[in-house]
Amino acid sequence: MLIRLLFLGGFGFSYFFSIAQKMDDYPITPVPFSKVKIEDSFWLPRLETNRTVTIPYDFEKCEETKRIQNFEIAAGLKEGEFVGIRFNDSDVFKIMEGAAYSLANHPDPELEKYLDDLITKVAGAQKKDGYLYTARTIDPANPAPNSGPERWSFLDQSHELYNVGHMYEAAVAHYQATGKRTFLDVAVKNADLIANTFGPDKQYGVPGHQEIEIGLVKLFRVTGDEKYLNLAKYFLDIRGQKVDNVKYTQERNIYLQSHIPVIKQDEAVGHSVRAAYMYSGMADVAAIVGDEDYINAIDKIWENVVHKKIYITGGIGARHRGEAFGDNYELPNETAYNETCAAIANCMWNHRMFLLKGHAKYFDVLERTLYNGFLSGISLEGDEFFYPNPLACDAKYAFNQGALTRKPWFDCSCCPANIVRFLPSLPGYIYAIHEKDVFINLYISNKAQIEVNQVKVEIAQTSNYPWDGEIKVIVNPEKKSSFNIKLRIPGWSYNQPVPGDLYTYYNDNNKRISAKLNGKEVAIEPDKGYLTINKNWEKGDEIVLDLPMEIRLVECHEMVESNRNRLAIERGPIVYCIEGIDNKGEVFNKLLPEYAPVTTQWQQDLLGGINIIKADVPAFVVRETGEEVKTKSHNLVAIPYYAWSHRGIGEMLVWLPRRAKKLEIITD
Ligand SMILES: [Zn+2]
């Protein structure tokens, strides 16, 4: 096939050059979530909450807010008008995707029946030619605001293509979980209409909110029909064309990453969820067709994000205006946007970068995002959500769509719906296989069934991660077999929070990373971030990896004005914050000098069980003259950032000032 031959010419990463000829998708294959049984004290309760609380809760909310009724009306099952926002169909699709993933690991006849009924409604809402968009079809003469007067006439705003992209992902998930084609047939019919409508010599139109590209690639993988892959590539390649530069303002085009062709883009700009979905779609297409230009572009954009635009929590998107990336080093704390969907999209993108390149640095970003900027987005109880995830709160600026704490739902509820599909897919991020290599990327207790070197192998991982750094891996091959276990050595366990100089650790670890194979010390010489252990493996072989879980103070690049002369606290993959409730109601008057003695303490009954960090630090007062004056010491208590805002409205801060401007002790 021509497109695959192109892959051979000057392919950019030498590591996989030797296998390029065979490649028809990512060179590294993730072990699917259905092969990984989570047994983890940190993640299992969260996955169970997602399954038993959040999925049914989100469906209930979709009933209550008429999102599902829209399908019923469009299907002619009910009378009425379209209710809500033009992209509300997509929320239902995302929850259906999450429900399908849940069914794959937890058969549940009641949920399966609910999905079957819902699929009947969705199928009923589809027009004969495949078109599906309840915002228009309920009353074509009066479509929902910003849908455009007729089909595809307002693509930069309508989300017609975005909605169905989510439907393709959901339909593929449902097909893979149940083997039923009911939903997949709806998706295929719709995608056929779109493939007949758009393309070279057909209608021109840039999808305003990227997502359909990812969905089309999934549809290609499951059906083998190349027209879906070609359409995904077409939708990427037409971005940044002259016709749009004339039609829209430059600001508008930047907002939706259509200001220049995608292969010329080298900086992350505009709406951060659209952006990261686009980079994910580019990675998907590049993995299959071997488009080196795509890979060069997303490499540069990745460097830009990680060196200049990512928050320490892994959050992306500095600005509320346009839900967008800011300029380089523009990382405000109180007004940080960091949409929960953008954190999910960042994980999706970094996973794909790893699958292309086999480097652990992508998982350093993914893990940071997962445990911090993503996890903060959902309450421990599973029924309240953050849309933005700021790094400071003064208890006055209502950052969360008008609220100061998590909300039960939003008018635009993309984030709650995205969480329910992301969490059940998490086990699929832990392992990956490339020829004789078994990558272990995340440390989450589980039992996995994998196949490497044509031998079935069970891998059992146990740890008390993220609180404890000792990780035990038992390898049980069906028969003696030689392969490589590649253990990710997280950047935080030596000296790199993320690649680049945006964040650096102030203090070194006292303890070293260590690893033992069947009780014998193994030299730690990571390559591309992995410790590789090669052996003729036999049942019961045991690796113990010990990562130093020490309290680290983090400094930020001085170009980031909001973090100048400030420190943040980390331990393992967890970023900490201080909350008013633990600190006499106030956080903005606390200092964190670099010499402050810090200790950690396990609190079983606090916020689902957490390690808190304590420090004796000075506090300060601001006098009427504006002078900041140090006062006597304060017993600072810091908690994991993800757990904040569960105990009422109050102040919160991640980056603490090192010292007050005037160092004068007053005894009050
Ligand atoms: Zn969202």
Side-chain angles (χ1 to χ4, degrees), residues 32 39 100 118 125-126 194 221 252 289 321 343 384 427 433 454 488 564 603 622 629 651:
E39 298 171 339
L118 194 46
Q126 185 170 39
I194 290 173
R221 286 199 186 108
R252 181 76 193 156
V289 309
R321 184 181 155 79
E384 289 192 301
I433 310 285
Q454 282 135 25
R488 175 175 151 259
R564 226 169 263 164
Q603 300 272 309
V622 181
V629 181
E651 296 180 354

Side-chain angles (χ1 to χ4, degrees), residues 339 341 414-415:
E339 182 175 341
C341 283
C414 51
C415 299

